[in-house]
Amino acid sequence: MAVQLNSNLEFIVMIALAVILLIPLGYGVISSAASNDTQPFLEKPDEKYDKCVRDTEYMRLNHMDLLKSIRDEVIHEGKKAEVKLKDCRECHMSRERFCDKCHNVVNLQPNCFGCHYYP
Amino acid sequence: MKGIGIATAAAGLGCTFPILRVLASSNVASHAQGEASSRQMGMVVDIKKCFDENVRRACARACHEEHNVPDMPDPAEEIKWIWSESYEHVFPDQAHARTADMYKDKPVLVLCNQCTSPACAKVCITGATFKRESDGIVMIDMHRCVGCRFCIAACPYGARSFNFRDPRPVLEEMGTLREDYPSRVKGAVEKCTFCVERLREGREPACVEAVKQVPGGEGALTFGDLSDPDSDVSRLLREKHTICRRISLGFGPNVFYIA
Ligand code: SF4
Ligand code: SF4
């Protein structure tokens, strides 16, 4: 009987824990579905170039990995840069209207701009 | 158990004082081993031509403006990539009681030696400082530098500077902030890079280019590939008597001086 009680209690505690852990996630999903405010509005790139160095979907998810791999090639291997952060600036001219839009939503403060000039 | 304790203590000591490891390994053998870079860029400095203040100032200005090196108001926070020091300081193993007047207390141009077996890279705890295989330049990956300053302690040439504060406001105030070259952040270490960003484009380092504009500065600095026997630096080194800073330490400097 004592054993039975214990495992019941364990089960309840686990469910409660799972619910508590999922609250922030659920809150995020509900609130972002409820309003469009958190959807970043990205500035349209300049007309000068007709496309980005990679397709939009790739850039949206992996731009940081691309930048890091270019960094490794340039700094560690001494190769020429395929693209530099300052080239991104050619189209996406404002950090506030481009980079920060998404970074703010996901609450990220990348430290690129401490060194790299991006107004 | 006791054995393990001693071993851990020894390993701990090695970690806490990486300088010990450097001193232990800074012999001629490790110098030769460092020669592994397939290419090695190097510089020859003509000491006498650099006695001229205009020449030295032109180098420093060109370099520091090009690389967003701020002129820190507090001398204790000074940041420098190329600067001057007295002959006695630069060549403590050359200077003696009867050093010729023309060298005594005279300013000598100094910069990072891009050592063949760099002490700074050996002590770096994150691998931020490393010797590059492609051109033998000792680089700092600023993304990895954590500001521990072991490298500053290890470099026997004082070639490295620490950012005690964010340099950008100082650069902005000076009006010399360049938008196309990164500045640094508080806590990062920096030094001369032999102008990698220029070499990539087939240009000469900024200091070498700058001295040519100064009357009498022609030939004060010569830059090139030491591994190419036909390069200007190799030719100069074959023809002239040159000295290096503190070679007895075994780090293998790649900046040479025509006395
Ligand atoms: S001069 Fe100093 S900073 Fe430059 S490579 Fe040698 S040890 Fe490193
Ligand atoms: S080689 Fe370049 S980075 Fe080094 S001192 Fe000269 S100008 Fe400065």
Side-chain angles (χ1 to χ4, degrees):
Chain A
M1 189 59 196
V3 174
Q4 184 65 34
L5 189 72
N6 252 346
S7 62
N8 271 345
L9 197 66
E10 227 171 63
F11 183 70
I12 292 166
V13 168
M14 270 169 64
I15 294 282
L17 264 181
V19 169
I20 291 170
L21 286 176
L22 287 173
I23 283 175
L25 199 67
Y27 182 77
V29 170
I30 293 165
S31 64
S32 69
S35 83
N36 246 349
D37 286 357
T38 48
Q39 289 296 317
F41 167 75
L42 298 182
E43 193 181 46
K44 267 252 156 54
D46 201 276
E47 305 265 287
K48 193 156 37 161
Y49 298 91
D50 52 2
K51 61 178 176 29
C52 195
V53 283
R54 298 282 187 283
D55 62 61
T56 311
E57 207 47 43
Y58 176 89
M59 285 309 268
R60 189 172 288 159
L61 295 171
N62 304 312
H63 60 284
M64 56 305 235
D65 296 329
L66 178 68
L67 288 170
K68 274 188 258 173
S69 73
I70 294 174
R71 169 202 64 196
D72 289 346
E73 282 171 13
V74 173
I75 301 177
H76 292 258
E77 293 162 32
K79 293 187 188 145
K80 266 203 174 138
E82 176 193 343
V83 61
K84 297 174 181 169
L85 207 49
K86 72 172 185 197
D87 298 330
C88 304
R89 231 162 67 199
E90 296 272 324
C91 293
H92 312 293
M93 281 176 291
S94 158
R95 179 168 113 207
E96 203 184 309
R97 292 196 299 277
F98 187 71
C99 319
D100 288 354
K101 282 278 178 183
C102 290
H103 294 161
N104 287 347
V105 171
V106 290
N107 194 17
L108 266 182
Q109 288 90 30
N111 50 11
C112 318
F113 312 115
C115 297
H116 299 275
Y117 184 81
Y118 209 132
Chain B
M1 198 56 207
K2 205 172 160 197
I4 297 174
I6 292 171
T8 348
L13 202 68
C15 296
T16 326
F17 301 111
I19 187 89
L20 294 180
R21 282 188 316 216
V22 179
L23 292 180
S25 62
S26 70
N27 51 25
V28 179
S30 75
H31 175 184
Q33 177 192 67
E35 216 105 28
S37 302
S38 48
R39 271 170 90 211
Q40 175 65 59
M41 303 317 257
M43 195 182 281
V44 177
V45 179
D46 190 321
I47 298 183
K48 285 184 201 134
K49 285 186 181 161
C50 291
F51 282 160
D52 181 351
E53 199 185 337
N54 293 328
V55 171
R56 283 179 289 112
R57 211 185 291 142
C59 299
R61 194 186 307 126
C63 174
H64 293 174
E65 280 181 5
E66 177 112 2
H67 300 117
N68 278 331
V69 178
D71 200 356
M72 283 299 185
D74 181 354
E77 296 178 358
E78 187 187 21
I79 297 178
K80 51 197 177 5
W81 286 23
I82 181 165
W83 71 105
S84 308
E85 270 181 43
S86 73
Y87 180 83
E88 286 77 1
H89 261 121
V90 179
F91 301 108
D93 41 9
Q94 297 283 333
H96 48 81
R98 309 292 290 270
T99 297
D101 287 346
M102 77 171 298
Y103 295 113
K104 212 175 254 170
D105 284 331
K106 287 288 156 46
V108 177
L109 203 62
V110 286
L111 65 161
C112 167
N113 287 289
Q114 313 293 349
C115 304
T116 299
S117 179
C120 55
K122 288 190 187 181
V123 297
C124 183
I125 54 170
T126 61
T129 289
F130 59 96
K131 185 159 180 75
R132 199 155 79 171
E133 175 58 32
S134 58
D135 47 18
I137 292 176
V138 177
M139 293 287 292
I140 308 174
D141 183 342
M142 295 294 177
H143 308 85
R144 284 195 187 183
C145 177
V146 293
C148 71
R149 287 173 274 175
F150 279 159
C151 57
I152 296 185
C155 171
Y157 306 104
R160 296 176 157 250
S161 305
F162 184 69
N163 284 279
F164 286 93
R165 61 177 72 237
D166 182 6
R168 197 173 277 174
V170 182
L171 288 162
E172 274 165 355
E173 200 175 306
M174 286 163 59
T176 56
L177 178 68
R178 281 187 66 136
E179 299 176 1
D180 55 353
Y181 193 85
S183 54
R184 266 68 60 189
V185 284
K186 178 178 173 182
V189 172
E190 60 185 88
K191 67 165 190 77
C192 155
T193 62
F194 265 179
C195 287
V196 273
E197 78 288 356
R198 285 169 153 254
L199 301 184
R200 254 196 313 267
E201 293 165 4
R203 294 158 73 205
E204 278 186 317
C207 54
V208 178
E209 203 177 275
V211 290
K212 291 186 181 158
Q213 320 294 325
V214 184
E218 189 76 34
L221 299 179
T222 312
F223 180 83
D225 187 352
L226 293 172
S227 28
D228 170 9
D230 299 324
S231 66
D232 286 349
V233 272
S234 297
R235 187 183 46 75
L236 264 179
L237 290 171
R238 263 198 313 274
E239 290 169 4
K240 305 259 186 186
H241 171 62
T242 47
I243 53 175
C244 274
R245 296 179 67 189
R246 306 178 71 178
I247 39 169
S248 55
L249 296 176
F251 297 126
N254 286 303
V255 173
F256 303 85
Y257 292 85
I258 304 175

